[in-house]
Amino acid sequence: MKITKQITTLFFALLLSLFWTTAHAQISPKSIPMTTPVEAYRLAPDALLLTLSLNMEPDWYTYANDPGGLGKPTRLSGTTASDAAITPRYPDPIVKPDAFDPDSMVNTYKSGTKLFAIVPVGKPVFPIKLQLDLLLCHPTKCVPVRLDLTFGDTSLDIATLPLADKQPWWNTFKQLTQQTTAQPAEAVTDSTQTTMVEWQFTPTYLQPGLEVASLLSAILMGLLAGLILNIMPCVLPVVSLKLSALLGASTSTNGKDPIAAFREHNLFFVLGVLSFFLFLAIVLGATGQAWGALFQYRWLVLGIAAIMGALSLSLFGLFHLPVIDLKFGTGHANPRKQAFFTGMLTTLLATPCSGPFLGGVLGWALIQGPLVIVIVFISIGIGMSSPYLLLILNPKLARFLPKSGPWIEYVEKGIAFFLLGTAFYLVAIAIGSESLRILAPLWAVLLGGWLWVRTQSIKATSRWGVRVGALILLAASIIWTMPSSVENNPWTPFAPITVQQSMGKELLLLDFTADWCPTCKVLEATVMTDKNVSRWKKEYSIKFIKVDMTERDAEAEALLKALGSRSIPTAAIFTKNDPSSPIVLRDLFTVDQLENIMKSL
C-alpha cells in the first residue's frame, strides 16, 4: 500500500522539527495588558536621560521599586553599546491596600507612571539595551512580566534630542535626583527573579511507587497510560470517533480486499495518533506548557468547537465533509486521509484528559531534553494506539465489532448529538459559562425533538415514555445551568502572595483545575463537591484554594511545575509543620483517599 505524498510530507516535517532550537517560555509583549514606550532627552552635552512609561490597561497596577513588604519590586536595568550601566530613578509610589491582603498597605505604580534612567555618554551609546522586571496585578490575578527592550540605533545623534529640563515632568525627576534613597544601578541589576514567588518544594506523592524515575519506567508507564487514556472521561466524542472510524472501515471497502482495507484504515489512524503526539512533544517541550494547555487558547477552543459542530451536522446528513466524514457505510474519496486526520482529531480531543499514571509520566518527561520528551510521548501514543495495532496484526479480531443493521442509524445520531454537545460545551469555555444557560437547554430541545419525531410509529406507551424522558432532560438541563449561590462557595480563589503567606500558618489544600479538563469536572462532581469541601473545612480546619488554569496563568503554572506536575487534575496538601513537603495527589483520587490523608495530619 502507498502512503500519500501529503501525509508523508506532514509526518517528516514534524520529525525534522525535532532539530529546532527550543525556546524558553515567556509572556509575549503583545499579550500583556501594558505598553512601555521609551523616549530619550538631553540632560547636558555629555549626559542622556531615558523615560519608560508604564501604560497599563484599566484596573491594572504594579508594585513600586520598594513594594512595602509585599509583592515583587519593579526593577529597571540596562547597558549602553559600550557596556556602561544605566542608573535608574524610580518615582514616588502610591500607597494603597493590597488587593490580595486588604489588611496590608503596599506601594504601587498606576498607569502612566514614568521610570527614569540616567545614561552615561560614551562611545558608542546606541543601541541601549533595557530590562524591565515587574509584576502586573489586577484585583483578580497577577502576571509576572520581564521585557527586553532596545532603544536607538547607531545613527542617533544626542544633539538632536529634546532637552529634559523643558519637559512637564522635569521637577519630578529633579526631586528624585536629590533624594538620598535612590539606589545605584548595581543594587537593581539582579533580574534573575522571573516570578513573584520562587516556589521550591520537595513533594511527596500519594503513590510514590508509581512515580517515574528513569526513561525505561517512563516508556513502560507511558504505554500503560496511553492505553488507559482510551477509556478516560475525555467526553464521549473521543470514544465515538474511534467507534465510528472502526465501524466505517469494517462496512465499506470501496471494492478493495476487506482485510487489506481494514488494515490500511487502522494503519493510517495510528499514524495520525502518533503524528499528533509528536507535534505535542515539540510544542510542549519548546514552550514549557502543561499537558492540555493548548485548550487555554480561546481561538483553538472555538476552532475545535466549529469542527465538532461540522462533524455533528454532517452525521445528520446536512452536508458531506471532504476529509473527515464519520457517516457509516459511505465511501470516502481518500480513506487514508480520512483515517489519518480522524486519528489526529481523536488525539487532540484526548489531550485535556489525564488518567492514572499519566501525571507522573508527564511530570518527569517534560523537564527532560527534547529527545526524551519525544520518546515518552511516542510511547504514550503507541499505548493509545495499541488496540488498533492489534487489529492491524490480527484483522480477524474485527469479528468482535458489531455488524451493521438498522440500529446503526441510532448509533450514528447518538454520536452526532454527543459531538454537538461537545461543540456547545467548548463554545461555553471560550465565551463564558453563562452561555450554557442557553446552549444546554437548546441541546436538550434538539435531542428531544429528534426522539419525538423518530418515535411516532412505536407503541403509545413507549412513545410517551420517551417524550416524558425528553421533557425531564430539558428540565434537568435548565436546573443544571442555573447559577449557584455564591454565598455557599467554600473555595478561596488562588492569589500567590496570600498562599505563600499562609504556608506554615494554615492547613492548605490547593486544587488545580480548568473548565477544559473533563477529568477535573468528574472529580468536582464526585470528590471535590461543595458539600464535601464544606464538611472537610469544618471538620479538619483546612483552607481550600482553587487554582483555575482555564486561561494562561504563569504563577499557577510555576507552582504546578514546582510540585512536580505538568498536568491536571492535581491537588496538593500543605501542612503547618512542614509546608515545604506538600502531599501531592495526581490525576484521579477518591473521597476515602483524600479523607484518610486529612485524618492523618
Side-chain angles (χ1 to χ4, degrees):
M1 74 183 66
K2 292 185 178 180
I3 299 178
T4 61
K5 181 179 179 181
Q6 294 92 332
I7 294 178
T8 304
T9 302
L10 175 61
F11 186 82
F12 281 101
L14 290 170
L15 187 62
L16 288 174
S17 60
L18 289 176
F19 300 100
W20 295 349
T21 302
T22 58
H24 296 288
Q26 65 184 81
I27 299 173
S28 169
K30 294 181 180 180
S31 65
I32 62 175
M34 177 184 69
T35 58
T36 54
V38 180
E39 298 175 314
Y41 302 89
R42 281 184 292 154
L43 276 177
D46 59 348
L48 177 67
L49 178 67
L50 295 183
T51 65
L52 188 150
S53 300
L54 305 177
N55 297 333
M56 292 167 273
E57 293 182 3
D59 297 329
W60 288 83
Y61 66 92
T62 187
Y63 291 93
N65 175 250
D66 178 8
L70 292 176
K72 175 182 178 180
T74 292
R75 294 179 175 176
L76 177 65
S77 60
T79 56
T80 66
S82 56
D83 291 329
I86 67 169
T87 302
R89 290 289 183 265
Y90 300 98
D92 293 332
I94 296 174
V95 181
K96 74 178 195 69
D98 186 67
F100 302 102
D101 186 5
D103 295 332
S104 301
M105 303 300 290
V106 292
N107 299 331
T108 64
Y109 292 148
K110 65 178 183 179
S111 180
T113 298
K114 288 185 182 293
L115 308 183
F116 301 94
I118 301 173
V119 181
V121 177
K123 297 295 182 180
V125 176
F126 301 107
I128 301 173
K129 295 182 178 180
L130 301 172
Q131 294 82 41
L132 178 65
D133 196 14
L134 52 78
L135 185 73
L136 274 178
C137 284
H138 187 274
T140 60
K141 63 179 179 180
C142 289
V143 179
V145 176
R146 184 179 180 184
L147 298 177
D148 294 320
L149 306 171
T150 301
F151 178 82
D153 54 42
T154 54
S155 62
L156 182 58
D157 186 0
I158 297 177
T160 63
L161 298 175
L163 290 171
D165 58 6
K166 302 297 183 182
Q167 307 306 315
W169 42 258
W170 173 251
N171 289 333
T172 300
F173 171 73
K174 192 174 180 181
Q175 292 176 1
L176 293 176
T177 59
Q178 295 171 353
Q179 294 175 359
T180 58
T181 57
Q183 297 181 354
E186 290 76 13
V188 295
T189 54
D190 178 18
S191 58
T192 59
Q193 185 181 9
T194 58
T195 58
M196 188 184 79
V197 180
E198 292 289 342
W199 306 106
Q200 292 184 350
F201 305 113
T202 53
T204 58
Y205 299 97
L206 178 63
Q207 296 176 306
L210 298 179
E211 294 300 312
V212 173
S214 66
L215 179 59
L216 178 60
S217 62
I219 292 173
L220 295 176
M221 294 183 69
L223 292 169
L224 183 58
L227 177 61
I228 295 176
L229 195 60
N230 283 284
I231 58 173
M232 290 305 298
C234 302
V235 193
L236 283 177
V238 175
V239 177
S240 65
L241 281 171
K242 298 174 184 178
L243 176 63
S244 173
L246 285 175
L247 290 179
S250 63
T251 58
S252 176
T253 61
N254 292 325
K256 296 182 180 179
D257 175 62
I259 293 180
F262 187 72
R263 276 179 165 159
E264 181 180 85
H265 169 85
N266 286 286
L267 174 61
F268 280 88
F269 185 89
V270 169
L271 283 175
V273 171
L274 296 181
S275 295
F276 198 85
F277 268 105
L278 181 58
F279 168 76
L280 282 176
I282 295 168
V283 171
L284 300 184
T287 64
Q289 293 182 334
W291 173 264
L294 292 176
F295 281 75
Q296 292 175 334
Y297 297 97
R298 183 173 302 178
W299 60 267
L300 177 62
V301 174
L302 286 174
I304 297 174
I307 294 173
M308 294 295 99
L311 288 170
S312 174
L313 295 178
S314 74
L315 288 176
F316 284 113
L318 297 183
F319 48 76
H320 175 76
L321 292 176
V323 178
I324 303 178
D325 194 328
L326 305 181
K327 290 192 289 292
F328 295 107
T330 59
H332 299 281
N334 195 321
R336 296 171 180 172
K337 285 184 179 178
Q338 192 268 347
F340 179 82
F341 287 105
T342 301
M344 294 191 76
L345 182 60
T346 300
T347 310
L348 173 61
L349 291 176
T351 54
C353 223
S354 181
F357 312 113
L358 189 58
V361 172
L362 296 173
W364 181 85
L366 289 175
I367 62 174
Q368 309 300 319
L371 183 59
V372 173
I373 294 175
V374 169
I375 292 173
V376 173
F377 271 62
I378 291 297
S379 70
I380 299 173
I382 293 174
M384 186 174 175
S385 304
S386 55
Y388 315 103
L389 292 172
L390 287 176
L391 290 172
I392 294 172
L393 296 174
N394 187 4
K396 292 182 180 180
L397 293 173
R399 68 179 182 272
F400 295 107
L401 294 175
K403 305 301 181 182
S404 60
W407 61 271
I408 208 164
E409 178 190 359
Y410 292 93
V411 174
E412 186 177 86
K413 296 304 183 289
I415 293 174
F417 278 111
F418 280 128
L419 292 172
L420 185 61
T422 301
F424 284 174
Y425 180 68
L426 292 174
V427 168
I429 292 175
I431 68 176
S433 58
E434 286 296 318
S435 60
L436 276 178
R437 299 182 64 182
I438 298 175
L439 296 176
L442 175 59
W443 182 84
V445 167
L446 293 173
L447 176 58
W450 183 81
L451 290 173
W452 197 291
V453 173
R454 295 298 298 172
T455 56
Q456 286 182 346
S457 60
I458 65 175
K459 293 181 180 180
T461 304
S462 301
R463 181 170 65 249
W464 282 105
V466 171
R467 293 178 178 181
V468 170
L471 292 175
I472 293 175
L473 177 63
L474 176 60
S477 68
I478 295 174
I479 295 173
W480 175 61
T481 56
M482 290 179 63
S484 58
S485 174
V486 178
E487 297 178 358
N488 298 325
N489 183 11
W491 292 93
T492 300
F494 174 64
I497 299 177
T498 304
V499 170
Q500 185 190 40
Q501 293 174 341
S502 300
M503 287 181 179
K505 301 176 183 177
E506 297 180 83
L507 191 58
L508 306 177
L509 187 147
L510 273 64
D511 180 37
F512 293 80
T513 184
D515 289 344
W516 44 259
C517 171
T519 317
C520 302
K521 295 304 176 184
V522 170
L523 278 177
E524 290 173 9
T526 58
V527 179
M528 309 299 289
T529 63
D530 287 352
K531 181 179 179 181
N532 284 342
V533 171
S534 298
R535 177 172 62 85
W536 291 331
K537 284 182 67 175
K538 183 178 180 180
E539 292 183 8
Y540 304 107
S541 300
I542 297 181
K543 185 175 184 179
F544 285 82
I545 299 174
K546 187 180 291 294
V547 186
D548 191 350
M549 301 185 68
T550 301
E551 297 183 0
R552 193 79 196 273
D553 188 329
E555 282 283 7
E557 292 178 14
L559 177 54
L560 182 66
K561 182 178 180 180
L563 293 171
S565 291
R566 302 309 300 271
S567 65
I568 57 175
T570 294
I573 300 176
F574 296 84
T575 63
K576 293 181 182 180
N577 297 332
D578 191 8
S580 63
S581 298
I583 303 170
V584 177
L585 295 82
R586 298 188 192 272
D587 307 321
L588 295 174
F589 49 88
T590 66
V591 171
D592 290 340
Q593 286 176 323
L594 185 56
E595 195 153 12
N596 288 336
I597 293 175
M598 290 186 288
K599 288 179 180 178
S600 66
L601 299 178

PDB file of all heavy atoms in Angstrom, residues 100-111:
ATOM      1  N   PHE A 100      -4.834  41.540  47.406  1.00  0.00           N
ATOM      2  CA  PHE A 100      -4.911  40.152  47.858  1.00  0.00           C
ATOM      3  C   PHE A 100      -4.847  40.022  49.378  1.00  0.00           C
ATOM      4  O   PHE A 100      -5.078  38.954  49.920  1.00  0.00           O
ATOM      5  CB  PHE A 100      -3.781  39.333  47.221  1.00  0.00           C
ATOM      6  CG  PHE A 100      -3.818  39.362  45.724  1.00  0.00           C
ATOM      7  CD1 PHE A 100      -2.951  40.169  45.000  1.00  0.00           C
ATOM      8  CD2 PHE A 100      -4.738  38.605  45.030  1.00  0.00           C
ATOM      9  CE1 PHE A 100      -2.996  40.206  43.619  1.00  0.00           C
ATOM     10  CE2 PHE A 100      -4.793  38.630  43.655  1.00  0.00           C
ATOM     11  CZ  PHE A 100      -3.926  39.438  42.941  1.00  0.00           C
ATOM     12  N   ASP A 101      -4.510  41.116  50.060  1.00  0.00           N
ATOM     13  CA  ASP A 101      -4.496  41.138  51.521  1.00  0.00           C
ATOM     14  C   ASP A 101      -4.857  42.552  51.957  1.00  0.00           C
ATOM     15  O   ASP A 101      -3.973  43.370  52.249  1.00  0.00           O
ATOM     16  CB  ASP A 101      -3.108  40.735  52.045  1.00  0.00           C
ATOM     17  CG  ASP A 101      -3.092  40.607  53.562  1.00  0.00           C
ATOM     18  OD1 ASP A 101      -4.167  40.734  54.185  1.00  0.00           O
ATOM     19  OD2 ASP A 101      -2.007  40.391  54.130  1.00  0.00           O
ATOM     20  N   PRO A 102      -6.143  42.888  51.998  1.00  0.00           N
ATOM     21  CA  PRO A 102      -6.584  44.261  52.263  1.00  0.00           C
ATOM     22  C   PRO A 102      -6.079  44.842  53.578  1.00  0.00           C
ATOM     23  O   PRO A 102      -6.075  46.064  53.751  1.00  0.00           O
ATOM     24  CB  PRO A 102      -8.115  44.145  52.258  1.00  0.00           C
ATOM     25  CG  PRO A 102      -8.404  42.929  51.449  1.00  0.00           C
ATOM     26  CD  PRO A 102      -7.276  41.993  51.728  1.00  0.00           C
ATOM     27  N   ASP A 103      -5.656  43.980  54.500  1.00  0.00           N
ATOM     28  CA  ASP A 103      -5.145  44.494  55.776  1.00  0.00           C
ATOM     29  C   ASP A 103      -3.733  45.047  55.663  1.00  0.00           C
ATOM     30  O   ASP A 103      -3.227  45.665  56.597  1.00  0.00           O
ATOM     31  CB  ASP A 103      -5.176  43.382  56.832  1.00  0.00           C
ATOM     32  CG  ASP A 103      -6.600  42.934  57.154  1.00  0.00           C
ATOM     33  OD1 ASP A 103      -7.516  43.766  57.017  1.00  0.00           O
ATOM     34  OD2 ASP A 103      -6.776  41.757  57.529  1.00  0.00           O
ATOM     35  N   SER A 104      -3.069  44.790  54.549  1.00  0.00           N
ATOM     36  CA  SER A 104      -1.687  45.252  54.346  1.00  0.00           C
ATOM     37  C   SER A 104      -1.657  46.385  53.336  1.00  0.00           C
ATOM     38  O   SER A 104      -2.365  46.356  52.332  1.00  0.00           O
ATOM     39  CB  SER A 104      -0.803  44.096  53.854  1.00  0.00           C
ATOM     40  OG  SER A 104      -0.808  43.033  54.781  1.00  0.00           O
ATOM     41  N   MET A 105      -0.843  47.380  53.630  1.00  0.00           N
ATOM     42  CA  MET A 105      -0.657  48.509  52.720  1.00  0.00           C
ATOM     43  C   MET A 105       0.597  48.266  51.881  1.00  0.00           C
ATOM     44  O   MET A 105       1.633  47.836  52.408  1.00  0.00           O
ATOM     45  CB  MET A 105      -0.524  49.818  53.493  1.00  0.00           C
ATOM     46  CG  MET A 105      -1.707  50.118  54.416  1.00  0.00           C
ATOM     47  SD  MET A 105      -3.288  50.254  53.530  1.00  0.00           S
ATOM     48  CE  MET A 105      -3.006  51.807  52.640  1.00  0.00           C
ATOM     49  N   VAL A 106       0.501  48.547  50.605  1.00  0.00           N
ATOM     50  CA  VAL A 106       1.630  48.315  49.704  1.00  0.00           C
ATOM     51  C   VAL A 106       1.883  49.561  48.862  1.00  0.00           C
ATOM     52  O   VAL A 106       1.010  50.429  48.718  1.00  0.00           O
ATOM     53  CB  VAL A 106       1.362  47.107  48.770  1.00  0.00           C
ATOM     54  CG1 VAL A 106       1.343  45.814  49.549  1.00  0.00           C
ATOM     55  CG2 VAL A 106       0.059  47.286  48.010  1.00  0.00           C
ATOM     56  N   ASN A 107       3.084  49.637  48.314  1.00  0.00           N
ATOM     57  CA  ASN A 107       3.485  50.745  47.435  1.00  0.00           C
ATOM     58  C   ASN A 107       3.293  50.315  45.984  1.00  0.00           C
ATOM     59  O   ASN A 107       3.800  49.258  45.575  1.00  0.00           O
ATOM     60  CB  ASN A 107       4.942  51.126  47.680  1.00  0.00           C
ATOM     61  CG  ASN A 107       5.176  51.586  49.113  1.00  0.00           C
ATOM     62  OD1 ASN A 107       4.273  52.125  49.745  1.00  0.00           O
ATOM     63  ND2 ASN A 107       6.376  51.365  49.624  1.00  0.00           N
ATOM     64  N   THR A 108       2.592  51.114  45.207  1.00  0.00           N
ATOM     65  CA  THR A 108       2.246  50.725  43.843  1.00  0.00           C
ATOM     66  C   THR A 108       2.524  51.855  42.855  1.00  0.00           C
ATOM     67  O   THR A 108       2.704  53.018  43.243  1.00  0.00           O
ATOM     68  CB  THR A 108       0.756  50.337  43.751  1.00  0.00           C
ATOM     69  OG1 THR A 108      -0.055  51.498  44.039  1.00  0.00           O
ATOM     70  CG2 THR A 108       0.411  49.229  44.720  1.00  0.00           C
ATOM     71  N   TYR A 109       2.538  51.499  41.597  1.00  0.00           N
ATOM     72  CA  TYR A 109       2.563  52.453  40.486  1.00  0.00           C
ATOM     73  C   TYR A 109       1.275  52.282  39.692  1.00  0.00           C
ATOM     74  O   TYR A 109       0.855  51.155  39.410  1.00  0.00           O
ATOM     75  CB  TYR A 109       3.750  52.191  39.553  1.00  0.00           C
ATOM     76  CG  TYR A 109       5.107  52.468  40.147  1.00  0.00           C
ATOM     77  CD1 TYR A 109       6.223  51.712  39.762  1.00  0.00           C
ATOM     78  CD2 TYR A 109       5.300  53.474  41.084  1.00  0.00           C
ATOM     79  CE1 TYR A 109       7.480  51.963  40.284  1.00  0.00           C
ATOM     80  CE2 TYR A 109       6.548  53.726  41.626  1.00  0.00           C
ATOM     81  CZ  TYR A 109       7.625  52.961  41.226  1.00  0.00           C
ATOM     82  OH  TYR A 109       8.867  53.216  41.747  1.00  0.00           O
ATOM     83  N   LYS A 110       0.658  53.393  39.327  1.00  0.00           N
ATOM     84  CA  LYS A 110      -0.533  53.333  38.496  1.00  0.00           C
ATOM     85  C   LYS A 110      -0.155  53.547  37.032  1.00  0.00           C
ATOM     86  O   LYS A 110       0.999  53.862  36.709  1.00  0.00           O
ATOM     87  CB  LYS A 110      -1.545  54.393  38.929  1.00  0.00           C
ATOM     88  CG  LYS A 110      -1.066  55.819  38.728  1.00  0.00           C
ATOM     89  CD  LYS A 110      -2.139  56.823  39.138  1.00  0.00           C
ATOM     90  CE  LYS A 110      -1.673  58.256  38.851  1.00  0.00           C
ATOM     91  NZ  LYS A 110      -2.723  59.240  39.213  1.00  0.00           N
ATOM     92  N   SER A 111      -1.128  53.395  36.161  1.00  0.00           N
ATOM     93  CA  SER A 111      -0.881  53.588  34.727  1.00  0.00           C
ATOM     94  C   SER A 111      -0.431  55.016  34.458  1.00  0.00           C
ATOM     95  O   SER A 111      -0.949  55.976  35.032  1.00  0.00           O
ATOM     96  CB  SER A 111      -2.158  53.291  33.935  1.00  0.00           C
ATOM     97  OG  SER A 111      -1.937  53.463  32.555  1.00  0.00           O
TER      98      SER A 111
END
